[in-house]
Amino acid sequence: MILQSHWDPLKSAATHEEKHQQAMYGEAPKAKIMNHGKDKSKSRGQDDDDEASQASSPSHTSSPLLSTPGSVTSTVPDGRRASEASTHIIQQPTPLERLTSEPKGLAPSSRFGLSQRPRSRSADRRNDPLGLSILHEPKTPPSCDLIFVHGLGGTSRSTWAKGRDLDYCWPQKWLPLEPGIGEARILSFGYNANFAAAGPAPITGIAHFASDLLYAMKYAKNEDLEELELGRIVVEKGSATMGYPNEISKSLNADHHTVCKFDDSESSDYISVRNALKTLVTEISTTGVGPIKALTHAQEWAEQMQYLLGPHENHQDDFEFFRKRWTIGTCDWILSHVSFREWATDEDGSPTMLWLHALPGSGKSILSSFIIKHLLGQSFCVYYFFRFGDQSKRSLSNCLKSAVYQIAEMIPNFRLALMDISSTSKTMEKADPKTIWDKIFVGVLFKLRLPTTIYWIIDGVDESDHPQLLVEMMQGVANSAASIKILLVSRQNDDLISTFDRLSVVVPSVFLPFEDIKRDIRTCVEKEVQFMRAPQDFKSMVIERLVAFANGNFLWASLALVEVMRCNTREDLDQTLEAIPSGMEQLYRRMESNVISKTKDRMQDRKLGHTILTWATCSRRPLTLGELTQALQPEFSVILDLQFTISRVCGQFVIVDASDRLVMVHQTARDHIMTTDSVLAVSATEGHEKLLTKCLSVLERQLHLRSSDRHSEDQEFVRYAVTSWAYHFNLTSVENEEPLLQLAKFLDGNAVFAWIVSLAQLSQLNVLVYSSKIMTLYVRRKRSRYGSTNPLLRRLQELDMVESWAADFLKILGKFGSALTANPFTTYQQIPPSCPRTSMIYRLFERQSPSPPPLQVGGLTQDVWDDSPVKISLGRNTQTVFVVCSVSQFAVVTGTGEIQLYDAITFEPRRNLSHKERICAIGFSSCSNLLATYGFRTTKVWSVKTGHILHQIRNPLGSRAFTITFAAENTKLVIGSNDRLMRIAKLATTNPDWSALHAGLLKEDTTIDGRVHNVPWRMAFNSGASCVAVAYRGSPLSVWRLDPPELIRRCMRRQDYAGNAWTVVDQVIWHPQSDEQELQAYGSILASSPEGKFFAIGDSKGTIKLYNFQHFVLIYQLSCENLINDICFSPDSKRLYDIRGQFYNIWEPNALIRADESVEYESDIVSEVASNRTAVVFEVVAEVRDQLTAIGVQFSGRHQALGNESGTVIVKRVHIDTSRRGSTATPIFEIKLHVSPEGIKQILLDKEADKLLVKNGPTVTVWPSKQNTSCEDDGISVISPDTTWIKHPRDSELLLAFSPSHARIYRRGDLSEISVLEMQEPCFRTNTPTSPRTRQSRNTDQSVKIGSISTNA
């Protein structure tokens, strides 16, 4: 691994080093990864050990970013792009820096275009040797090599030392002491980087430096002239550029001069670099992969993590925000607190959880940041800060995903396990907290044995959406094989106190000591008061009074200090101290009075202040100053200094944080503003109505503009409005009609189309689902309200419009989501014509489109949205048996042993497999590349990609498998069969066969209710094949562990259910979550969604009922007459697959689409849904229609004839209504035929639609279509196999029939044959000589096939 400051010589010298590649590149015995960049220069008077002049620097920055692709690290103090295998410093120059860094002129002697200035160099080259030198040699063989390479103007060691003091050379002094990193060999490489210096042969070319480095690495020796064996692979030619789509960046609190120089080993910047280095060194040492391969893994991990969990928010912002407010000398008392020390120790029996709680404003978050800082310097710590003012930071799911990201960055084994999950399961970006906890924490992390303890700090638990659920889930940490310690920090409230009281035995709690908090307040006050221009005795008096009045409240002390420090005279100080009240509520009232008095004569300022307070208290997330500026217009003109204006018109209630976001000074201040009775009061419902109005007006005004007319700087608030108007609409009052009228106006114009386009462009289509939920709930509340109002005052038309659009939003996403993502602008012209005629999107499109419209779609039979996008027949006389689904495909199994594979997204047929015998059980492997089918005689393992049989295993005689699954990372097959045996086949062997797995399994003959266990009736394995559930006809359901073999339990009914203690189980499946509930429902088939959020029941009447698992309530019911054979969910849980007879159907219930929305929005409505156990059930009546096999259209289009696979032939007269842009069809003839095995293949109508010709297999029949007949024998028939019929191009009374060998002419009226023409093979003539291959291909095709012929008839 090479870590370099300055530019990348290897990348730039790629051409020069081509001649070295054969000798230098090869298999590396050690991992060596390069890190390159370009160093920055320092101004005169600063340390100049490794910098050129500022004029030579291409860019400058005050906030360099440490970018790690996956787990790669760097300490580069530069702004150039570095190699893949490195850590990078990405520097974004400010406009001012760009101006000041432009070279004003070039000295005539400057060869590289650099300005001249005196330079100082390291006086003693022994301290900064040239070439490769060892800084640290581990006692054991090194796991990898870290090589530190300086840049232009730098030296081999001083570059990495603060103030050129080699005692601060952290690669040599500190890194060897770090656990894990000390196992690596650490080296530095020096070269003559003073290109402007005089002297013989400096390395002035990048190519020279590259060659020198490669040479030094190849022939490197230690002091005893022994080979260092650094390896030969340094870096791939193209790896010296960044550009990862998912790079992980880390801001370092340093400028370009000090970014690789640290004050001490506890510096936050050093810790960031150290942690990233530790990750890469650990991964290389544990996996043994080379650097390039490690980087490939890192890139794959970043991509898969984003797929699995979604975009990662920067969790460090909040930590840095509170850390900057910490005062030296405070908070250290916590380290000696008995309960904290017991929790922090690694000793057996120490508690895994600790609850720190205190009153509001007592400095809990600052204390949390102190603890995090302390633990980061000693161990591995992950953390999360809940923030009530930001909706996304109230999400429990986001908290869990942030912890997953942080742990995965540092623990390679956990990272690899997550990569396996992402390749075998659906994304959990929108999963609920319970699913994330069970699948990732319980299912993966808790099973790992880690070398170090993970400390997990969660601050502001009371500000999360689900604090009780969080605490209850965290109890599972006690069962973890990994050592995990959790610290929960929160305010006191009744719910949390009650929860922790129940857990007091296992979760100790600590109330923050008053005296320690008081001492910290004194320290903070003393630090500020020391700058007051007053006598010392007066300062002491101020300190004592502030500490006494604060009463343990940091917030009170900080707010009071602001007023005290503004005083100019002793009299002012006396008056202020006397006037400041002692309690927070009284202090808020004083702050309120000050704001009101300052704006008394300036009503515009008071109005502005109230508007800003409304945004601060009611916005979905904190607005940036840029967004707020746009939100205030045009009601207020452009404000020159918005931050100063905020402090003037809002006082200390509102602050601007380090990210330039508008936030309330504290949650208690927000509570005060929303409950006070003064002119500053913000009513919640009125505030949200005001913000809804603003959002919708901005959308209507901005979104209709052409893209070329929009300015990016004007779109900041538009992005907020696009994603947030529904949030505000949800929190308005149903008592007021104005929000409904505003939304109806928005939905009735072109702005709604532009809004959908914007969501697609922002990759925020999930907002459609959230908006639909909000609108549906609003309609429900509004209709309930209308029940007690005057009918004349009801806005039913607007309410119906909102309800219809709510349904449209779901269907648009479900049916056209992929098209919108690929091309958002299809919303305007392509999508609306494809929607049902009664949908709001079609009606709005029809009303606003010119006549004729730019696009018309014909043949749509449904006037309303259909829940089934696909109904496909597998052919007449085909009987479907199973349907199973994997991540990318689903398989339909027929009764004859045929397996048809389909794409799970596009529904396209992929491959047809034939087992050649009836199949009893089928299953996909976890990675979806293998498929196992168990027949009566053999078991076959298929390659899904090629369709080839990889293994064929002979089955035990007379044994029938109930279930089959892959196990042990898809290297074994496990079955449970009707002979009471579990069997296993090892696929790693050449000829696998079945062997009994623990003969004692399922053989316990214990009597229950006088009965003895009989043969199994149903079986099901859990996901890891570690347990099996077995159902019997005469005994209760039993659950067995396979290894070691033991009976875990028998599933008996709870005592509160009347009747038997157990019942016969007809169907059994495993659910991803653990819970015990009972539901009175009738069904013969069960299916569970992959993440366990839903389960479905199919009954004997063809009805599918969909239930929410968490609340055990029915949410969707589909009625269909055909009998159901099997059900399964799609991998993303958006669809249901079922098979009925010869058909398979794909359903898209609204309930499933609604569930697939971002959990960021879930909390706003989950409480309402959860409390309503009798929520609205969506009921759909569906019809599975026979597939059309032939269509005949009269030339003028006035008549159409249709034939389906059941044998029904119908002729319809078509009437086109030009005024309504539609058509109607009236049946005039219908007949039911006995269908041949080939089915109805062709239908012809004559010019006047008097005669109907139908080809049913080999039989061709003509009927008079305008006579009523229901008898198949009333027509005239001939036998004409393997023919295609057309109308004669000139004589309407004649028909032509073509076969491969003949063409025949028939009369239409009686099908009498008139003439026969023998078909001859066409002769191919060409002047170009034919190749033997061409002649051979022609000779092999001796027959002429006529598939279709078109004429003008």
Side-chain angles (χ1 to χ4, degrees), residues 267-342:
S267 165
S268 61
D269 290 343
Y270 170 76
I271 290 172
S272 298
V273 174
R274 177 207 66 185
N275 290 348
L277 276 174
K278 172 70 163 51
T279 296
L280 188 56
V281 171
T282 302
E283 179 167 323
I284 293 174
S285 60
T286 55
T287 62
V289 300
I292 305 305
K293 192 171 182 180
L295 283 175
T296 302
H297 289 172
Q299 183 178 8
E300 291 176 355
W301 170 75
E303 294 173 351
Q304 293 187 23
M305 283 291 288
Q306 182 156 358
Y307 165 79
L308 181 65
L309 299 175
H312 174 44
E313 294 183 352
N314 189 349
H315 60 280
Q316 296 172 328
D317 288 346
D318 293 320
F319 167 68
E320 293 171 357
F321 174 80
F322 291 114
R323 184 62 183 165
K324 289 178 181 178
R325 283 153 180 76
W326 172 74
T327 300
I328 296 176
T330 62
C331 301
D332 50 2
W333 56 266
I334 189 66
L335 301 180
S336 58
H337 194 282
V338 174
S339 296
F340 181 84
R341 293 178 62 183
E342 290 178 352

Side-chain angles (χ1 to χ4, degrees), residues 993-1005:
D993 57 357
W994 292 115
S995 60
L997 181 66
H998 303 302
L1001 276 169
L1002 314 185
K1003 295 296 181 66
E1004 185 182 24
D1005 296 328

